[in-house]
Amino acid sequence: MLVLGSGGETGGNFIDGAVAALEEATGWHPDSATLVIGTSIGGFRAGSLGPQSPSPASSVEALSNLAGPLPHVGFFDRTAQRLRVTGARLACRIIPKDRDRPAWRTPSPPHHGGAYVVSMDVDSRQRVAHPLEDEDNSADAISASAAVPFAYGPVEIAGSRHTDGAVWSPTHADLAGTLASPGAGTIVVVIAPQVPRERGRIIDRIHRRQLRAELATLNEGVRALVICPPPGPKEQTRTAAEGEAAVRSIVEAAQAFTPKT
């Protein structure tokens, strides 16, 4: 399973570098993931994946050697997650509705059969995971997932207005359990450009705690490999080179990278 987080254009560069380095180190390719969850720029990358194709057993084993157990969470992790969700619902009340919708070109079908992109329904104030196998709505779903509030207006899908899924969460890793119910031994790879691995601003710390709380909701026995940028200004840490470096550090340590609180 693969989770591709938000982070704008530079976040996309980080994702590209991390994916390339991970494939080089293990032979595992994202097309082989049974489930892909993309948010904002991660939604564009999810939409760019081709039809699912299995990876060799040796690649899966190499990936498993880098993954580790799910994090233990406490009161502050769960509180951060609740605050973030509450803030997202409140934000829906003030998101401008009269701005132009995004006009960018979205990846064309066929998409990965297990790929979803996440948006925020402005009207119901709930997040929505859109399956990209629904080719009639896939372009709108990808656009909605990256429709940054105050920069772009919401995208209408099935009569409801949708905005950037990152308003709710930069990752949505817990949806892996909702959409697929992974069993013991399943590996969830999370590439999170907006979740610095340590320190950072208050919002960065909230993002880290929120991701930890999301991962903790998955079934017992699931293993996680979390790839995050180093702390620092966005323009310095969300690059392809930093994505590659983040994976190399995990490979060198031969263990999962779990964000610190």
Side-chain angles (χ1 to χ4, degrees):
M1 295 183 173
L2 177 63
V3 176
L4 301 174
S6 59
E9 183 179 352
T10 54
N13 295 336
F14 181 86
I15 290 173
D16 293 342
V19 167
L22 197 59
E23 185 173 6
E24 180 181 355
T26 66
W28 180 84
H29 192 273
D31 285 349
S32 66
T34 55
L35 175 72
V36 182
I37 299 169
T39 303
S40 200
I41 191 63
F44 270 78
R45 294 303 189 267
S48 298
L49 296 178
Q52 184 180 355
S53 57
S55 282
S58 58
S59 298
V60 177
E61 182 179 0
L63 191 68
S64 179
N65 290 337
L66 300 179
L70 300 177
H72 295 289
V73 299
F75 170 80
F76 291 109
D77 299 308
R78 296 188 180 92
T79 299
Q81 183 182 35
R82 287 193 292 268
L83 287 174
R84 190 73 165 74
V85 171
T86 299
R89 289 175 170 154
L90 291 174
C92 285
R93 297 177 179 273
I94 61 173
I95 289 175
K97 312 296 195 301
D98 56 350
R99 294 183 181 272
D100 293 336
R101 61 166 285 167
W104 46 60
R105 293 183 60 184
T106 57
S108 301
H111 300 295
H112 187 290
Y116 291 78
V117 295
V118 186
S119 69
M120 180 93 184
D121 186 326
V122 177
D123 299 310
S124 70
R125 299 194 291 279
Q126 297 290 333
R127 62 177 173 175
V128 180
H130 307 270
L132 293 187
E133 64 179 358
D134 178 8
E135 295 183 1
D136 291 338
N137 292 313
S138 63
D140 284 342
I142 294 170
S143 291
S145 181
V148 180
F150 304 101
Y152 302 102
V155 175
E156 185 169 325
I157 301 176
S160 295
R161 294 168 297 181
H162 293 256
T163 193
D164 196 323
V167 172
W168 181 291
S169 167
T171 47
H172 298 278
D174 55 319
L175 286 179
T178 304
L179 297 172
S181 188
T186 300
I187 305 165
V188 178
V189 178
V190 181
I191 305 179
Q194 280 195 306
V195 187
R197 63 186 180 222
E198 58 185 358
R199 301 194 302 275
R201 303 163 300 171
I202 292 177
I203 189 63
D204 296 328
R205 296 170 187 264
I206 291 175
H207 285 166
R208 270 199 305 278
R209 290 189 179 278
Q210 183 177 20
L211 176 55
R212 287 168 59 87
E214 290 175 353
L215 289 171
T217 66
L218 302 181
N219 292 335
E220 184 177 357
V222 172
R223 295 168 62 79
L225 171 58
V226 182
I227 303 170
C228 300
K234 181 177 179 180
E235 63 273 11
Q236 295 179 14
T237 59
R238 276 49 158 200
T239 65
E242 288 293 354
E244 295 168 2
V247 172
R248 283 197 300 270
S249 69
I250 297 171
V251 173
E252 291 168 359
Q255 62 184 15
F257 182 84
T258 302
K260 300 177 182 178
T261 58

